[in-house]
Every structure is written in C-alpha cells, then in structure tokens.
Amino acid sequence: MTISSALNSAMSGLQAASQASGLVSNNIANALTPGYAPRTLSLSSSSIGTTGGVQINGVVRHLDMQVIADRRLASAEFGYRATTSDYLNQIEDIIGTPDEEASLSGLLASFESALILASSRPDAVERLDATALSADDLAKSINDVADGIQSARTDADQSIAEQVDRLNQALQDVQKLNESITAANVQKNDASGLLDQRQVLIDEISEIVPVRVLDRDNGTVALYSTGGGILLDGNAAEVGFEPSNVVTPFMSIEDGSLSGLTINGVSVNTSSDNGQLHGGTLGAQFEIRDELAPETQTQIDALARDLIERFESSAVDPTLAPGQAGLFTDQGGALDPTLELGLANRISLNALVDPTAGGETWRLRDGLGAVAPGDTGDATLLNAFSDALTETRVPLSRSYGSAALSAAGIATSLSSQIGTSRLREDQQLSFASAQYYELSELALANGVDTDVELQNLMVIEQAYAANARVIETVDEMFNTLLGI
C-alpha cells in the first residue's frame, strides 16, 4: 500500500466515523420521539482505482414494517372499540341499573309503590301529591334518556366533522411529504427525517380510518382503507361531510337529513357492515349516530308508548272521553301510534294531575275526566292504575319482541340489553387494548436501544482513533523523509 492510499483510506475512515457518530447521537437523542426509526450508516469498501478506503452508501432506517402495519390496524380497532364502549357506558349511566333508586327501573318501582300507598289512604292528599310527583319524575327520566341519546348523536355528528377535517389535512400533508421524499431521493439526499414525519401522519390517519400502505416509486406510498377506499395514490383524496347543528330523533342518513361521506364527490357506504371507511374512530361515530343511538331511541320510544297506552284506556279510567289523554301524554295530547318516533322526548304527566302545573291530584282518585271530587275513600281508580302498571301485555310497537311484559319488565329488559351490549363491548375493548399494547411494545422494542447505541459509539471511537493514528503515522513518515 502506498502512503497516499493509506492516507486516503484513513481520511475516508474518519469521514465515515464522523457521520456514524452523528447518527448514533441522533438515535439516542430521539429515542422517545414518536415515529423515529433508528439509523445506521451503510458502508462498503471503496473500489475507486487503487486508493482503497471506505465508501458511504447512505443512511438506513431500521423498522419492521409488518409490525408497524399490524400496530396501525390494532390502533384503529382500539379507537373504534373505545368510542362505542364510551357511548354504551354513557347510555347505561343515564338509564341506570335496576338496583339504583334513581334509575328508570327504580323510578317505575317508586311510582308503583306510590300508587299502592295512595290506594291504602285515598283521602290523604299528601299521598296523592307524592304519586303525581313520582309519575312526573318517571316521565322526566324517560325524557332525560331520550335527550341523552339525542346529545350522543349530535356529539357524534360534530366529531365526524372534526375527524374528516383532520383526515383531509393529514392526507394532504402525506402527499406533500411524498413529493419531498421523491425530491430527496432523486438528489441523493437523506430523507430519513421526512420518512419519520410521514410515519407519524399515517399512524394518525390509521386511528381515524384503518389503512393499508402500498409502496410506490421513489419512496412514495399510497394509502387505501381496509374497506377499499382510495385515500391517497399520487394525489390525496378529498373526503366530504356536511355537519348538522343538532341531530333530532327524526333525522337519518336514509332520508337525506343527515350527511354521509363522499370521497372526491362520490358517496361511500358508512354502515358498520361494509362501510368503506369503517373500523376506526370515524366509523365508530357513524355507527353511534346512525345505528346504535337510533336503536336505543326505538327502545325508549316503545317504553314511552307502552306507558301511555296503559293509562289511556277507558277500561282503566272510565271518566276519560274518547280521544282524551290519560295519565301520561304526548306533549299534553293523546297517543298517536303513527308518531311513535321521538315519543320518549315528548312524554309528560297530564297537566290535569300535575301539581307543579296547576293540576289537581284528587283526579288520581276520582278520574282525569271527573268534573268534581268524589268519595275520598274510594280507591278503585288508584287500584286500577296500579293493576294497569303491573299488567303483563305484549308491547304493540314490537320493539321488545312478542313476550308479555309489565312496565317494569320493559324497563328491566331495556337496562339488560344496554348492559349486555356494554359488557360485550368492554370485553372486546379489553382484547383490542391488549393487542394494541403488545404491538406497541413490540414496535418500541424494534426502536432505539440506547445500550446498543452506546456500544456502537465505543466501536466508532475506536475506529476513529485507529484512522487518526494512521494519519499521524503518515505525518511522521513525511517529516522523517523531509528531514533526510
């Protein structure tokens, strides 16, 4: 080896060691940075002429793309399950469980008890007042459940709008990064930082909509939803959505009163069965707004209808005239079976017996259609009300099947269905959470290992010292030659 070739080899070694130490320092500094992948320097022996040395081929990012892809899908599933579980927990909190006094079932039981107490002393005004107030609490509890459902649908609609805005921005940012990465690769520049940024954005997108990443030329990628929607392939897709200020029980995606999704102006399916963007937090909000909440609305409306029907019959209260509202009303009027949707929002205690609305509670004893108080010791109507409440009958709306149920049985069935759904969703959430946690841990294990990096730094320092010693030796040789 000539002196010049030795000097050239040492200089190239110093340059490689310098860049390698910079990468190690960068790795350690970014050990906790989201999306950061550890880098190493790709080296090979130089074959230029007879000078020898080391050649720097570029920077290599180290990450397991299969683990990353699995973690993204797990993230979407976790977000989806967490969102639907939160909704079911929210509704269960509003309805309450049968063992809670303030729950729907508890208020029904309190109303039944108030009727029994009043029938034992029909002359006691305070017991009649307590019965009327208990009935009013029951009606308002049904209103609260319906209002909670409406609020959940409104919140879901607003969340969809926010997520669509963020999704569109993230897709545009990925498109810009694709272009920057292409430019960096063409110019032989290191694009590792750009790749890190793109990875973070794709992770965020995959939580909203589960995506598959396909490699394209010059380091670019295409994004497809797992449902088959094209989100980015060259150009970013434009996802469209029109939010509503308030979502009422009468609004639905089927009648066009609620917005669906479009991709580049083309409508896409948003159902939980085969929606193109289903599976992440965006799909979960659509499921809440268009499926879960309307189903709960149907069930609470059926309960409200059954409660009104039980006390609207002249067989229960002979003083009622045809078409006159009974103890419970549809905003003060009689029940119209064709207007069941939203009935839970409208059910109220008849103002004729509501003491807070100027009503007279003696009508609970003598009849809502009575013109004057009757025998204060007659508990016939109060007993009839109690029997009507506990009578087992098949709900005419069929939302609870064909089994004969009492009013308490319907409320218990509703609580049971919500509780069962919530429990099942919590179990699925636990599985999704464990899967996401394990895959996240695996991805982190493939990230920066500071112990390994410090060991690499020691090797690099030794290489640097060795190359420096070669240069020092060459310098001594030149000085010796010059001194001859």
Side-chain angles (χ1 to χ4, degrees), residues 80-81 83-92 95 287 291-293 295-296 299 412-430:
Y80 166 73
R81 295 298 176 187
T83 303
T84 52
S85 179
D86 285 345
Y87 163 76
L88 291 171
N89 276 283
Q90 174 188 346
I91 296 301
E92 186 177 42
I95 295 175
E287 185 171 350
E291 298 176 34
L292 296 178
E295 180 182 351
T296 311
Q299 292 172 323
T412 301
S413 177
L414 174 61
S415 298
S416 177
Q417 290 180 41
I418 295 297
T420 300
S421 297
R422 190 268 307 162
L423 179 60
R424 182 173 61 250
E425 200 65 27
D426 283 350
Q427 291 172 340
Q428 293 174 328
L429 173 60
S430 295

Side-chain angles (χ1 to χ4, degrees), residues 87-167:
Y87 163 76
L88 291 171
N89 276 283
Q90 174 188 346
I91 296 301
E92 186 177 42
D93 287 343
I94 298 173
I95 295 175
T97 56
D99 59 322
E100 296 174 339
E101 186 177 347
S103 68
L104 198 55
S105 296
L107 291 173
L108 259 171
S110 296
F111 177 47
E112 182 181 347
S113 297
L115 283 171
I116 294 173
L117 285 173
S119 65
S120 67
R121 282 288 307 279
D123 60 317
V125 176
E126 66 277 6
R127 296 194 180 188
L128 295 175
D129 289 347
T131 302
L133 293 175
S134 180
D136 189 48
D137 288 342
L138 177 58
K140 288 178 178 176
S141 177
I142 296 174
N143 296 154
D144 290 341
V145 174
D147 290 343
I149 295 169
Q150 182 176 319
S151 295
R153 295 188 73 196
T154 300
D155 291 344
D157 191 81
Q158 293 173 352
S159 177
I160 291 170
E162 293 170 0
Q163 292 189 59
V164 166
D165 287 344
R166 181 57 196 138
L167 177 60

Side-chain angles (χ1 to χ4, degrees), residues 105-363:
S105 296
L107 291 173
L108 259 171
S110 296
F111 177 47
E112 182 181 347
S113 297
L115 283 171
I116 294 173
L117 285 173
S119 65
S120 67
R121 282 288 307 279
D123 60 317
V125 176
E126 66 277 6
R127 296 194 180 188
L128 295 175
D129 289 347
T131 302
L133 293 175
S134 180
D136 189 48
D137 288 342
L138 177 58
K140 288 178 178 176
S141 177
I142 296 174
N143 296 154
D144 290 341
V145 174
D147 290 343
I149 295 169
Q150 182 176 319
S151 295
R153 295 188 73 196
T154 300
D155 291 344
D157 191 81
Q158 293 173 352
S159 177
I160 291 170
E162 293 170 0
Q163 292 189 59
V164 166
D165 287 344
R166 181 57 196 138
L167 177 60
N168 282 324
Q169 184 60 56
L171 289 173
Q172 292 172 12
D173 290 344
V174 172
Q175 178 185 333
K176 293 176 182 177
L177 284 172
N178 271 345
E179 295 168 353
S180 298
I181 290 168
T182 297
N185 288 336
V186 169
Q187 297 170 12
K188 306 298 183 182
N189 293 328
D190 180 20
S192 298
L194 299 173
L195 293 171
D196 289 341
Q197 294 178 43
R198 189 176 68 184
Q199 181 175 321
V200 171
L201 284 171
I202 296 175
D203 287 346
E204 183 179 354
I205 291 170
S206 68
E207 184 176 347
I208 300 173
V209 177
V211 295
R212 302 279 187 189
V213 181
L214 301 179
D215 292 327
R216 294 290 189 251
D217 295 335
N218 294 319
T220 62
V221 295
L223 301 180
Y224 286 72
S225 73
T226 54
I230 303 174
L231 298 177
L232 184 146
D233 200 347
N235 295 322
E238 179 69 26
V239 182
F241 178 77
E242 293 295 331
S244 301
N245 292 327
V246 176
V247 179
T248 69
F250 307 97
M251 299 172 68
S252 69
I253 195 171
E254 288 78 15
D255 65 13
S257 55
L258 288 178
S259 173
L261 283 180
T262 61
I263 297 181
N264 292 331
V266 179
S267 296
V268 297
N269 190 334
T270 57
S271 69
S272 60
D273 292 331
N274 53 4
Q276 287 183 276
L277 302 185
H278 182 70
T281 55
L282 182 61
Q285 295 294 356
F286 268 106
E287 185 171 350
I288 290 170
R289 192 196 69 172
D290 300 330
E291 298 176 34
L292 296 178
E295 180 182 351
T296 311
Q297 179 79 48
T298 299
Q299 292 172 323
I300 196 67
D301 285 342
L303 185 149
R305 174 180 174 176
D306 179 81
L307 194 59
I308 292 174
E309 287 175 332
R310 287 177 183 272
F311 299 96
E312 204 172 56
S313 170
S314 58
V316 176
D317 184 355
T319 67
L320 291 178
Q324 183 180 353
L327 183 60
F328 294 99
T329 72
D330 181 354
Q331 287 186 328
L335 173 69
D336 183 348
T338 64
L339 300 177
E340 183 176 333
L341 182 61
L343 184 59
N345 302 76
R346 307 189 303 268
I347 188 174
S348 62
L349 179 64
N350 197 315
L352 291 173
V353 298
D354 186 356
T356 63
E360 300 164 308
T361 56
W362 58 262
R363 294 183 184 277

Side-chain angles (χ1 to χ4, degrees), residues 27-40:
N27 287 342
I28 295 174
N30 289 280
L32 300 179
T33 302
Y36 184 86
R39 283 91 147 130
T40 59

